[in-house]
């Protein structure tokens, strides 16, 4: 760190301490870490809900570009998405944007330390750092596999896929969850000259019901996708994937979608987390160890009466909206009801012209009902389209982003005091 940075940090720390020791009329400082789907919605909704209060909101993110992570498989396959800039999306909200990465949290001093040398003081912290592909579990993944975490990487991947197709190459997609299935079908449809192999420990899209899963299998057949199910990857090499059977699957490009991990920031700060590093929350999404910290989206370990929630956009956006509303209510001295959520569906794209929607119970177990084909494509485009229109509407109104609150599975009497 340079002398100038040290001087700036000292000044910032002094300003922070002065602000927190000043009269009670100072603004309530809210810092939102992460500008993904949940962080963006939380910041914008908070700005609207607290517009008549003395509140200052800062959104922190290392890039000024808003990334539509749900569509990264489309970018990797060669599609171009709109270029949204975070300052533009925040324009007119009063939310301050700081382009930086948070490197540490001091929950005792109520500070966030950023990689640009700046320290942000907070009264309330919204932890929305999301998750990334876990490249640490299998040898060679970090060195040789690709992920769908970053639009720049996805663009480079699209160029590599085009090069491979020109030579009749092969691609391995590791992970049979919904992300793996969507990526494999997108690649196979847009690059028919490639041999695409989908590798999974279980059946592809195993979380779907029997009939939608059978439809997925037919789509994989139609797109000539090779399946290696019931097997485990033991090593990723520059030009192949080795399975636990010893079989080597040729791959000029390996895409890794098998598992995610969350940032270590919360655990390193002494905030109570689960084994994966997600912040353990109370029924109102506050950290059980530090109630001035709210955790939302993939970064939160949230339990409902039916069990533990898992990270999806379907569940993440409701946590963001709820946290914004809960913070605003508590600042007004109001009581807050517990967060309620139930899953409603599992939408899966199968290329650009096909899809399947499996409808679910609140605990995400499958119902019998499902949609397929063109109807499913239209449905998925409606429920999984860009969140940017929701952000824009949220500047002016409280937009509903929850399909189900779980019904009887989550209903609870009583209110939790502010």
């Amino acid at each position: 760190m340079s002398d100038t940075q040290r001087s700036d940090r000292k000044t910032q720390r002094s300003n922070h301490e002065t602000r927190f020791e000043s009269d009670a009329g100072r603004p309530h400082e809210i810092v939102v870490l992460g500008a993904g789907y949940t962080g963006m919605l939380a910041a914008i909704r908070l700005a609207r809900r607290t517009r008549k209060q003395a509140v200052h909101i800062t959104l922190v993110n290392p890039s000024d570009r808003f990334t539509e992570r749900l569509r990264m498989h489309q970018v990797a396959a060669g599609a171009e998405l709109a270029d949204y800039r975070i300052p533009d999306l925040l324009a007119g909200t009063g939310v301050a944007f700081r382009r930086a990465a948070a490197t540490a949290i001091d929950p005792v001093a109520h500070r966030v330390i950023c990689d640009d040398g700046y320290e942000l003081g907070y009264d309330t912290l919204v932890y929305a750092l999301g998750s990334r592909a876990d490249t640490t579990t299998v040898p060679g993944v970090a060195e040789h596999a690709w992920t769908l975490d970053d639009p720049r990487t996805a663009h480079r991947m699209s160029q590599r896929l085009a090069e491979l197709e020109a030579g009749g190459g092969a691609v391995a997609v590791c992970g049979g969850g919904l992300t793996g299935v969507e990526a494999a079908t997108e690649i196979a449809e847009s690059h028919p000259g490639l041999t695409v192999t989908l590798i999974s420990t279980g059946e592809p899209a195993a979380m779907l019901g029997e009939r939608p899963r059978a439809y997925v299998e037919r789509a994989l057949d139609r797109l000539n996708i090779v399946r290696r199910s019931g097997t485990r990857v033991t090593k990723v090499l520059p030009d192949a994937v080795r399975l636990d059977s010893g079989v080597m699957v040729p791959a000029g490009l390996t895409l890794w979608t098998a598992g995610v991990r969350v940032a270590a920031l919360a655990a390193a700060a002494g905030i109570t987390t689960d084994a994966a590093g997600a912040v353990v929350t109370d029924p109102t999404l506050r950290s059980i160890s530090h109630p001035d910290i709210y955790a939302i989206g993939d970064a939160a370990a949230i339990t409902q009466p039916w069990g533990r929630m898992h990270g999806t956009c379907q569940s993440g956006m409701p946590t963001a909206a709820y946290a914004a509303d809960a913070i605003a209510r508590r600042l007004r001295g109001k009581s807050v009801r517990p967060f309620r959520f139930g899953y409603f569906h599992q939408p899966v794209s199968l290329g650009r012209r096909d899809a399947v929607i499996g409808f679910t119970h609140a605990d995400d177990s499958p119902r019998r009902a499902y949609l397929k084909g063109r109807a499913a494509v239209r449905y998925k485009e409606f429920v999984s389209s860009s969140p940017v229109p929701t952000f824009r509407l949220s500047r002016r109104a409280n937009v509903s982003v929850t399909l189900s609150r779980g019904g009887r599975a989550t209903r609870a009497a009583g209110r939790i005091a502010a």
Side-chain angles (χ1 to χ4, degrees):
M1 183 185 297
S2 68
D3 291 338
T4 300
Q5 287 177 314
R6 289 192 184 94
S7 176
D8 288 346
R9 175 174 285 189
K10 184 176 181 180
T11 300
Q12 292 149 10
R13 186 180 296 114
S14 175
N15 288 343
H16 172 277
E17 290 169 351
T18 300
R19 185 172 64 247
F20 274 72
E21 292 169 0
S22 64
D23 63 271
R26 66 168 176 78
H28 185 95
E29 295 286 344
I30 301 176
V31 174
V32 181
L33 296 184
Y37 287 66
T38 59
M40 282 293 300
L41 179 60
I44 292 172
R45 190 169 176 122
L46 263 169
R48 183 183 182 278
R49 294 302 303 270
T50 62
R51 65 192 183 281
K52 296 181 180 179
Q53 297 170 269
V55 171
H56 181 254
I57 302 167
T58 304
L59 178 62
V60 182
N61 198 67
S63 170
D64 69 346
R65 179 177 180 177
F66 175 69
T67 300
E68 297 186 63
R69 279 196 62 187
L70 288 182
R71 295 173 176 261
M72 284 300 98
H73 61 286
Q74 295 175 236
V75 177
E80 290 291 337
L81 301 183
D83 184 9
Y84 295 112
R85 297 291 161 172
I86 293 170
D88 296 336
L89 296 175
L90 295 176
T93 65
V95 176
F97 174 62
R98 183 155 203 91
R99 184 175 179 177
T103 58
I105 299 170
D106 184 341
V108 176
H110 294 80
R111 293 192 182 102
V112 173
I113 296 89
C114 299
D115 63 354
D116 61 358
Y118 199 85
E119 293 186 9
L120 290 166
Y122 67 85
D123 295 302
T124 299
L125 180 68
V126 180
Y127 191 80
L129 291 179
S131 63
R132 300 178 69 84
D134 189 351
T135 61
T136 65
T137 56
V138 174
V141 174
E143 295 81 6
H144 306 302
W146 297 68
T147 68
L148 297 173
D149 291 327
D150 183 271
R152 293 166 297 182
T153 302
H155 275 293
R156 292 197 299 270
M157 183 174 164
S158 70
Q159 297 166 359
R160 177 60 179 154
L161 288 172
E163 295 169 359
L164 284 173
E165 185 178 24
V171 172
V173 178
C174 301
L178 303 189
T179 300
V181 169
E182 289 194 329
T185 52
E186 194 82 35
I187 292 168
E189 181 182 84
S190 58
H191 299 281
L194 289 171
T195 299
V196 179
T197 301
L198 180 61
I199 303 170
S200 56
T201 54
E203 293 300 315
M207 65 291 298
L208 295 176
E210 181 179 347
R211 292 189 293 173
R213 191 166 62 246
Y215 189 82
V216 169
E217 290 289 345
R218 292 195 293 273
L220 297 175
D221 285 338
R222 172 175 54 80
L223 293 167
N224 298 312
I225 294 173
V226 180
R227 272 90 84 199
R228 293 276 188 173
S229 304
T231 190
R232 186 171 56 87
V233 175
T234 58
K235 189 170 186 178
V236 175
L237 304 168
D239 57 357
V241 171
R242 187 171 70 198
L243 307 181
D244 54 7
S245 62
V247 170
M248 300 289 285
V249 178
L253 183 150
T254 298
L255 174 61
W256 193 259
T257 69
V260 297
R261 60 184 173 87
V262 299
L265 210 59
I271 299 164
T272 299
T273 63
D274 66 5
V279 176
V280 180
T281 68
D282 71 8
T284 63
L285 305 192
R286 296 183 300 184
S287 160
I288 61 170
S289 59
H290 297 80
D292 48 6
I293 299 175
Y294 288 72
I296 58 177
D298 293 1
I302 302 170
T303 301
Q304 293 289 282
W306 46 259
R308 166 71 187 272
M309 288 173 55
H310 61 86
T312 65
C313 183
Q314 180 185 179
S315 58
M317 296 284 273
T319 67
Y322 172 90
D325 294 348
I327 293 168
R329 284 187 64 83
R330 283 194 165 109
L331 287 175
R332 296 196 304 271
K334 303 290 186 179
S335 60
V336 178
R337 289 186 182 274
F339 175 69
R340 292 176 55 204
F341 174 80
Y343 289 96
F344 184 75
H345 58 205
Q346 288 281 14
V348 191
S349 293
L350 303 169
R352 290 296 85 210
R353 297 183 294 274
D354 199 3
V356 65
I357 314 294
F359 293 98
T360 72
H361 297 282
D363 64 358
D364 212 26
S365 60
R367 296 180 182 270
R368 286 182 56 82
Y370 76 107
L371 283 178
K372 61 183 180 180
R374 296 283 184 173
V377 171
R378 291 192 291 271
Y379 181 99
K380 188 174 191 303
E381 184 59 28
F382 176 74
V383 300
S384 302
S385 60
S386 171
V388 170
T390 299
F391 298 156
R392 288 172 174 160
L393 286 172
S394 295
R395 298 175 180 179
R396 303 187 299 274
N398 294 332
V399 180
S400 176
V401 292
T402 304
L403 292 172
S404 170
R405 298 188 187 279
R408 293 181 180 177
T410 60
R411 191 171 292 121
R415 301 173 74 85
I416 295 179

